[in-house]
Amino acid sequence: MTHHIPHMLIEPVVRAALAEDLGRAADITAMACIDADARMSASFGVRRDGRLAGLACAELAVKALDPTARFEALMEDGQDCPPGSVVARVEANARALLSAERTALNLLGRLSGVATLTRAYVRAVAGSGARITDTRKTTPGLRALEKYAVRCGGGVNHRFGLDDAILIKDNHVAACGGVRPAIERARAFAGHLVRVECEVDTLAQFEEALAAGPDVIMLDNFATEDMRRAVAMAQGRVVLEASGGVSLETVADIAATGVDVISVGALTHSAPVLDIGLDA
Amino acid sequence: MTHHIPHMLIEPVVRAALAEDLGRAADITAMACIDADARMSASFGVRRDGRLAGLACAELAVKALDPTARFEALMEDGQDCPPGSVVARVEANARALLSAERTALNLLGRLSGVATLTRAYVRAVAGSGARITDTRKTTPGLRALEKYAVRCGGGVNHRFGLDDAILIKDNHVAACGGVRPAIERARAFAGHLVRVECEVDTLAQFEEALAAGPDVIMLDNFATEDMRRAVAMAQGRVVLEASGGVSLETVADIAATGVDVISVGALTHSAPVLDIGLDA
Amino acid sequence: MTHHIPHMLIEPVVRAALAEDLGRAADITAMACIDADARMSASFGVRRDGRLAGLACAELAVKALDPTARFEALMEDGQDCPPGSVVARVEANARALLSAERTALNLLGRLSGVATLTRAYVRAVAGSGARITDTRKTTPGLRALEKYAVRCGGGVNHRFGLDDAILIKDNHVAACGGVRPAIERARAFAGHLVRVECEVDTLAQFEEALAAGPDVIMLDNFATEDMRRAVAMAQGRVVLEASGGVSLETVADIAATGVDVISVGALTHSAPVLDIGLDA
Amino acid sequence: MTHHIPHMLIEPVVRAALAEDLGRAADITAMACIDADARMSASFGVRRDGRLAGLACAELAVKALDPTARFEALMEDGQDCPPGSVVARVEANARALLSAERTALNLLGRLSGVATLTRAYVRAVAGSGARITDTRKTTPGLRALEKYAVRCGGGVNHRFGLDDAILIKDNHVAACGGVRPAIERARAFAGHLVRVECEVDTLAQFEEALAAGPDVIMLDNFATEDMRRAVAMAQGRVVLEASGGVSLETVADIAATGVDVISVGALTHSAPVLDIGLDA
Amino acid sequence: MTHHIPHMLIEPVVRAALAEDLGRAADITAMACIDADARMSASFGVRRDGRLAGLACAELAVKALDPTARFEALMEDGQDCPPGSVVARVEANARALLSAERTALNLLGRLSGVATLTRAYVRAVAGSGARITDTRKTTPGLRALEKYAVRCGGGVNHRFGLDDAILIKDNHVAACGGVRPAIERARAFAGHLVRVECEVDTLAQFEEALAAGPDVIMLDNFATEDMRRAVAMAQGRVVLEASGGVSLETVADIAATGVDVISVGALTHSAPVLDIGLDA
Amino acid sequence: MTHHIPHMLIEPVVRAALAEDLGRAADITAMACIDADARMSASFGVRRDGRLAGLACAELAVKALDPTARFEALMEDGQDCPPGSVVARVEANARALLSAERTALNLLGRLSGVATLTRAYVRAVAGSGARITDTRKTTPGLRALEKYAVRCGGGVNHRFGLDDAILIKDNHVAACGGVRPAIERARAFAGHLVRVECEVDTLAQFEEALAAGPDVIMLDNFATEDMRRAVAMAQGRVVLEASGGVSLETVADIAATGVDVISVGALTHSAPVLDIGLDA
């Protein structure tokens, strides 16, 4: 198993989603049409080519409603799924399985969608040294899971929140009166396990930042030509992150400039769902 | 104010999103670079043409971190925003505003994204009698808000969960031994304020359903020709919902068949975010 | 098993009730007087004739404190229990069982009380076509369970909340300037899976409502003679609900008028507990 | 203000009740029929003679949905309300007020119902030295509020949970091999701020208990004659509590025996709601 | 098993502590360096002489992350542990065990620290009739567990909160206009299962309190000579508690005065952790 | 204001602590002895020399029970308080203030205790280049606050959890088959904003680690002589952290070796409370 996230981080999300769907009266269709003791077998099938992420969500959703359910994973997170792939088989109480179906698919489809889009970006930069990373533009409540899905797609994670790294942006620079004083204040504040990144908008700012020596410099909306110059000037002394206006069309050119990391907000804020269904 | 959702339903989502972003150490960049008492003015600006939804999320995010913040809405949910629109102005403690920025934008952008995509579908069927509706393919934890955004986009809401209407699908039909017994079991179970909808896959099933008299029949993945026949056969005795494989390219043709409602999963599971930013 | 409610909806209520009873120091009497490893067998016995509802609450309460407990149900929800009935046998850690006893009995007794009172109303209208339904006058926090108990008693459920059906009352009528415009606004707002009910106080209002065509009309505090007239005028085109001042003494006469549904607030707001005890 | 309970203990109950009623879509009737900015004045009126308890619940419910609401209490908890009493006036956003109405009334009616029934028992024993007390047979989730309502009705509170006093019952006696060893184990375990009460079923047990010297002895289902003997034997050395089968018909006779406290489960498990309404 | 606390009271604390440590990305060191399926055996070893408390916390922490973990307790709460004692052996998924290690040790070390310090005070008063008790100066969120640890150390518990006993302090006395009226108001308010304690600062106040007859009198910062006088004056009619400025140096002298109970805030507010480690 | 932590991170802790103390019946002493409308002025006074941290906890505690309370801070977090310092004045409802007192003091005293102990370590290394840092040996539930208190004391923060930096310890090294492969696996896994630290036990391990190039090397339980050698070998290429067995007696010698950071578990796991009281 290459990719892993503790169930303890998934379970509250799954249970909240189930509760949201069950409401106050629970699944009245199942209660009306399915015998209470009926059991049912089904499989989770992928309809379109994609990268799998979040299979444990499906398992936890079914087992939350039927602890006796059997769930057999046939694939694992991080694997590529051609259309028609069966990723898991499940046998459970029929009411429970049908009640959990939508919650399972909503999470599995969304996370696999993120992984699939990440994979596309990673493939687009293959051969370059650039890594694809995410942003904090995640779905409220799902950050841990969506960042996990980015890893399943082959990406690496940027900050998980406001508290685990320093990222100096234009407003901070303005408040400090320049890039250099901003980086110096950051360095003085940061503990020895905190990295400092500074966003710059121009090559002039980049030079000022380079002199101040942060761990990472973010080149925000740089033309590729300017990125190339920045790479040359940096001489490997600092990690360079390209950011802003990255698309599947442009990402290869950006990677070719020699930057180390390319951050893509769309990975989490605009990934279409991967079409996965439950087949009886 | 045309569209409205009680703050009580929004606030837990906003606070959970802020907590997720603040983590354990809070915004260390702001603590390093911004004076504790500094204040700041900024405005929320829309970069691309869209339909606004979720402005209260932005307001609540800022005020959760600075109760003294002033937030002036210049537009309201459900309005069209041309690129460059300023939707709100805010004045607040600088650290608080910068810490709340991403949470505010994540929610506002996502909900406006849903509203904007819904608007596109609604416009595409303008002139027909068909209404655009959503599905349960929503983001876990955000169903109430995303369904509200669908309303802001001009759509109407389908079921909010498993418990507020009966929707008989293929598995229920199989368990009951046919469309008719399934509808009869549903009718017998349902209280007098619960509607019964039945999904059918073929015209033969449709006829069987029509005879049993549910409130709504869902035509799942019907060819438009078959939809037209179903409309003719129904003679207005039942609400007809078209479902499955609906896209912006196909929705007008579907509407032209005379169906009453068209459900579109993409409204909530694949809407790209609307690009909104905070401008100092 | 005729009646069913997912454990996921019961468990938070049971655990909160246990936490409320255990407080900070837990069961100090059991700690003082019972050996930590002692085990104990007992049975849940019904002292007065009634209808059973909520047996799973008792099971979950005991198992929450002793996951190794064995709980054998001898009857099931929705069954009639003559005095002296043993509804379940339990074998568990003695401290755990004694600590869970009151929580188990409080829930089981209350829900069975609701089911028993509902049964009395249902029996009183037997032979008529009228169904007994509940209201939103439920115990805060227990709506899902109490409405389930109403079903166990043979009743059907009215709205589960403010959001799953439209119920136009006098204040809404006043705000809209009449019954007809109120119903029209409701129809325009409601999605295709939402029923619209309108309360009327007089036959004149009833006629106005009938013309506007809601799904259900509630006859509020009508004399039985007026109910009969309303039934005659409706000619089966609309569901009629009688409401207000319904008691076990009057309900048969109301049912005899031909109304479809009779709502009874007392089912949930004033049902006496059913006397059930734990016998060692 | 004679009676008081901190808002911090009430607010979570009120907010949970509102959330339960608003569901996912909120008050769709109000959204359809009431303008978003409309305001409304109304008053809370008592329809039947009773004792008021829980007025703060009504206030908090309205203000949770409209923080700008004005709520003017005209009476206070613990006062007697003749039919027709107006207990409070409120002016608020109309949607908010109508959405909060049922939650406010459910809590206010239930708590006032408990207070009213308690008052009846207290009046029935007036002139004797006996005090009326409650039990742990409370509504799950509402124990703090219902015990407060008992105080508003003139009663005093028994244990709040399993952890704030020791109450030895038959199963504990059996486990310890007798009343005396049970009391001795309890005494040895209890801290210096914990009272020890022992339940006895017979006069023989009573004598054994008396010798062991608990703080309180509960006479469970004693005939009044036996209670009288117990009172004589106790000579004021121990507090005597009568319990079991107490009704409004029997309570005066029980009080006349000279017992100190009479516990009545019905105060909280079977009190009918007090009829209170919101009048526009 | 002498000491016991229900898992239901421990589990929320353990899970919250794990969540606090796992954050959003979980244990990235374990993910990087340990194979997902690797298993590991280890033992919990005590490095310094102490008294064990909280072993169940360690077990629950490991099992929360790996439900298949095997946890074998070799000692139990309340036992004395010489340096080098192995208190439990565990076999579990290696990632899970390493992720849970710090949470397990933080709770186990803290609670054992409280028990160890309590033991020291209890030993210091051995031979006297005095008992050592705690205060409400506990760690926010851990009161139930820390008071349990006090019991494991041989102490008894004082109040668990503001609500389970009356403790009249100087501000209450001032508000009531004297010790006697304060005690009288307390008596009138308190139910029959609530003890009343009154704090006094001088012998004069003590005499006034003694006359009013509370259950317990707290001698606050009394000189030992004054304590001895109070003991003589009380003649066993009231429980006497010494409080204020108690240390391991002074506690034996205080106990020798004949007071019944000595309360020590340091037991919970300043106990050093007991050094316990996980040894692979 | 030098030190700052958002109220949103403090408030849940404060409210949980109040709820823990109020229990189900709230402050029965205040209810018995203090008039409901009485008001009271008091001040928070420091009894022993220390460093202030957590003043906002006191303010939030009082205001949670009385939103109309006035709280005037006279000092701020991070300031030194000589004995007798008055740090804040408060005027509030008397019941509310007395009910909040212990919660306020428990948090303020504990956090100020952490800050005061940190200050002692920081002072002990003054003049060296070493910084004092904390560990993950914090109180469950209070990590964010205790780490904040460390900052108020002049220290810097180590990791906030398992997820914001990689810290390779002996078990990870063993699993990877050596220090070098462990560091390499960590580097490959870590995103560009994550620092990698490796713990070493011997100079041999140190050399191996140095070659692999982590960001930080932790010298665990090194003799000061070995620390000095490691400093010499590192030549400033890596941050060096001394850990293990650090006390106020030894810390100056450790700092003199030239290490960059010294981590001290006692800062949070064994800091005695700072004695602060509320004076009427």
Side-chain angles (χ1 to χ4, degrees), chain E residues 112-157:
Chain E
S112 297
V114 169
T116 301
L117 185 57
T118 304
R119 183 186 68 172
Y121 277 90
V122 170
R123 286 179 175 171
V125 303
S128 80
R131 296 199 289 177
I132 299 297
T133 192
D134 49 41
T135 65
R136 281 167 45 245
K137 297 177 181 176
T138 56
T139 309
L142 299 183
R143 184 165 290 170
L145 273 73
E146 290 184 346
K147 294 220 163 210
Y148 166 75
V150 167
R151 296 200 298 274
C152 292
V156 294
N157 297 137

Side-chain angles (χ1 to χ4, degrees), chain A residues 173 177-185 208-212:
Chain A
V173 168
V179 160
R180 170 179 284 275
I183 292 173
E184 285 167 359
R185 280 176 72 162
E208 190 183 348
L210 197 61

Side-chain angles (χ1 to χ4, degrees), chain B:
Chain B
M1 190 166 53
T2 313
H3 297 286
H4 170 74
I5 184 169
H7 281 192
M8 223 188 97
L9 294 191
I10 304 177
E11 211 156 18
V13 174
V14 170
R15 296 184 85 90
L18 283 170
E20 189 184 40
D21 207 17
L22 290 171
R24 292 153 301 205
D27 186 347
I28 55 176
T29 311
M31 284 194 269
C33 296
I34 310 280
D35 291 340
D37 299 326
R39 295 194 71 84
M40 181 179 165
S41 290
S43 57
F44 288 91
V46 179
R47 317 271 199 245
R48 302 261 291 268
D49 180 61
R51 174 71 60 90
L52 190 64
L55 197 48
C57 296
E59 178 173 3
L60 290 172
V62 177
K63 289 189 172 168
L65 294 188
D66 177 10
T68 74
R70 287 182 305 148
F71 186 97
E72 183 194 2
L74 303 177
M75 302 186 70
E76 66 181 32
D77 283 2
Q79 279 193 296
D80 289 314
C81 310
S85 303
V86 173
V87 297
R89 286 208 190 88
V90 61
E91 192 278 337
N93 175 281
R95 283 187 184 176
L97 181 52
L98 291 173
S99 297
E101 174 184 357
R102 180 83 263 123
T103 293
L105 293 176
N106 279 355
L107 280 161
L108 185 55
R110 176 172 299 265
L111 296 179
S112 297
V114 169
T116 301
L117 185 58
T118 303
R119 183 186 68 172
Y121 277 90
V122 170
R123 285 180 175 170
V125 304
S128 80
R131 296 200 287 178
I132 298 297
T133 193
D134 49 42
T135 65
R136 281 168 44 245
K137 297 176 180 176
T138 56
T139 308
L142 298 183
R143 184 165 290 170
L145 273 74
E146 290 184 345
K147 294 218 164 213
Y148 166 75
V150 166
R151 296 200 300 273
C152 292
V156 294
N157 297 137
H158 208 285
R159 289 199 294 177
F160 271 76
L162 291 160
D163 63 329
D164 56 341
I166 287 184
L167 176 42
I168 300 165
K169 297 194 178 178
D170 49 1
N171 286 311
H172 307 106
V173 167
C176 294
V179 161
R180 170 179 284 274
I183 294 174
E184 285 166 359
R185 280 176 73 162
R187 274 277 176 245
F189 182 87
H192 62 297
L193 286 172
V194 172
R195 288 226 161 136
V196 174
E197 175 168 6
C198 184
E199 174 188 303
V200 297
D201 298 324
T202 63
L203 278 176
Q205 269 192 329
F206 174 73
E207 285 188 87
E208 189 183 348
L210 197 62
D215 296 292
V216 184
I217 299 178
M218 179 194 286
L219 311 174
D220 192 40
N221 282 308
F222 268 44
T224 50
E225 196 175 73
D226 288 346
M227 287 188 201
R228 227 172 270 119
R229 271 187 229 161
V231 170
M233 289 156 70
Q235 294 181 297
R237 281 174 298 158
V238 66
V239 174
L240 293 185
E241 173 181 340
S243 171
V246 182
S247 71
L248 277 171
E249 286 69 40
T250 62
V251 71
D253 286 349
I254 294 171
T257 64
V259 295
D260 302 288
V261 187
I262 304 171
S263 54
V264 187
L267 297 186
T268 53
H269 72 51
S270 296
V273 77
L274 182 64
D275 190 1
I276 303 181
L278 183 73
D279 305 302

Side-chain angles (χ1 to χ4, degrees), chain F residues 182-200:
Chain F
I183 294 173
E184 284 167 359
R185 280 176 73 161
R187 274 277 174 244
F189 183 86
H192 62 297
L193 286 172
V194 171
R195 289 227 161 136
V196 173
E197 175 167 5
C198 183
E199 174 188 305
V200 297

